[in-house]
Amino acid sequence: MRNSSDDDTGTAGQDEELSVERLLGMTDAANELKAVYRIGDLANEFGISLRSLRFYEARGLLQPARRGTTRLYSQDDRRRLRLILLCKLLSFSLTEIRQIVNAYLGTGSELQRTQGLRAVFEHQRSVLQAQRDDLDASMAALDASLLALDKPS
C-alpha cells in the first residue's frame, strides 16, 4: 500500500496528461532527437512541475549533470524519468520505483529486464486488484449501512 509521505511532488491534476503509451515511449519518437534537456524541457514534455523533478533528484531517482546551477538531463535521464512516471501512475511507492528503475535500466539482457519488469507489473496488478476487492466490499457494507439507517425503526 502506498505511503502518502512517499510522494510529495505536488503534481495533482497534472498526471492525467500522462498516458501509459506515452510513458512507454510509444507516441513521442520526435523528442528522442535531443541529446540534452534542461529541467524546463522535461517538465513541459511530461506535464510535471519543476518541483517534481527536483523531488526525484533529491530522492536519488534522477542524477542530472550540472553546469553551474543548470541541470542537464541526458537521454538516459529522460528514459529514467519516463519509467519513474509510469511506475507512479501504476501506484508504486518511491522505494519500489527506485528498485524497479535500477533493475530495469541496470545490467542484464533486454529480455531479462523486460521479463523482470513484466513480473513486477503483474504482481502490482494483483495487489491493486486485492485493494479494489477490499474497497468494493467496504462500499457494499457502507451502502447496506446507509440503507439500514434510512429505514424507520
Side-chain angles (χ1 to χ4, degrees), residues 19-43:
S19 70
V20 173
E21 292 82 8
R22 183 164 185 212
L23 292 173
L24 288 172
M26 300 165 90
T27 61
D28 60 345
N31 288 323
E32 296 292 335
L33 301 175
K34 272 181 117 172
V36 176
Y37 300 84
R38 296 180 106 146
I39 192 169
D41 297 333
L42 290 181

Side-chain angles (χ1 to χ4, degrees), residues 126-144:
S126 67
V127 167
L128 292 176
Q129 184 62 53
Q131 289 176 354
R132 176 191 255 176
D133 293 345
D134 290 345
L135 185 57
D136 288 343
S138 294
M139 291 296 290
L142 184 57
D143 290 343

Side-chain angles (χ1 to χ4, degrees), residues 13-19 22 44 46-48:
Q14 293 179 340
D15 293 336
E16 290 78 23
E17 299 173 17
L18 299 175
S19 70
R22 183 164 185 212
N44 289 333
F46 291 104
I48 61 175

Side-chain angles (χ1 to χ4, degrees), residues 57-125:
E57 183 181 350
R59 295 296 189 263
L61 292 168
L62 292 172
Q63 298 173 345
R66 298 271 190 152
R67 187 182 326 132
T69 58
T70 303
R71 291 169 170 85
L72 301 173
Y73 296 88
S74 67
Q75 280 294 324
D76 287 341
D77 294 321
R78 184 174 171 272
R79 278 189 287 278
R80 191 173 187 87
L81 177 60
R82 179 184 288 152
L83 185 54
I84 290 166
L85 295 173
L86 175 61
C87 289
K88 182 178 179 240
L89 186 65
L90 301 175
S91 297
F92 286 101
S93 70
L94 285 177
T95 301
E96 293 167 324
I97 291 172
R98 181 177 295 106
Q99 293 168 347
I100 291 166
V101 168
N102 289 338
Y104 184 69
L105 298 177
T107 59
S109 73
E110 184 174 345
L111 178 62
Q112 289 172 322
R113 293 190 319 260
T114 301
Q115 287 174 338
L117 188 60
R118 181 175 180 79
V120 169
F121 283 8
E122 286 173 349
H123 179 264
Q124 181 70 355
R125 188 178 195 299

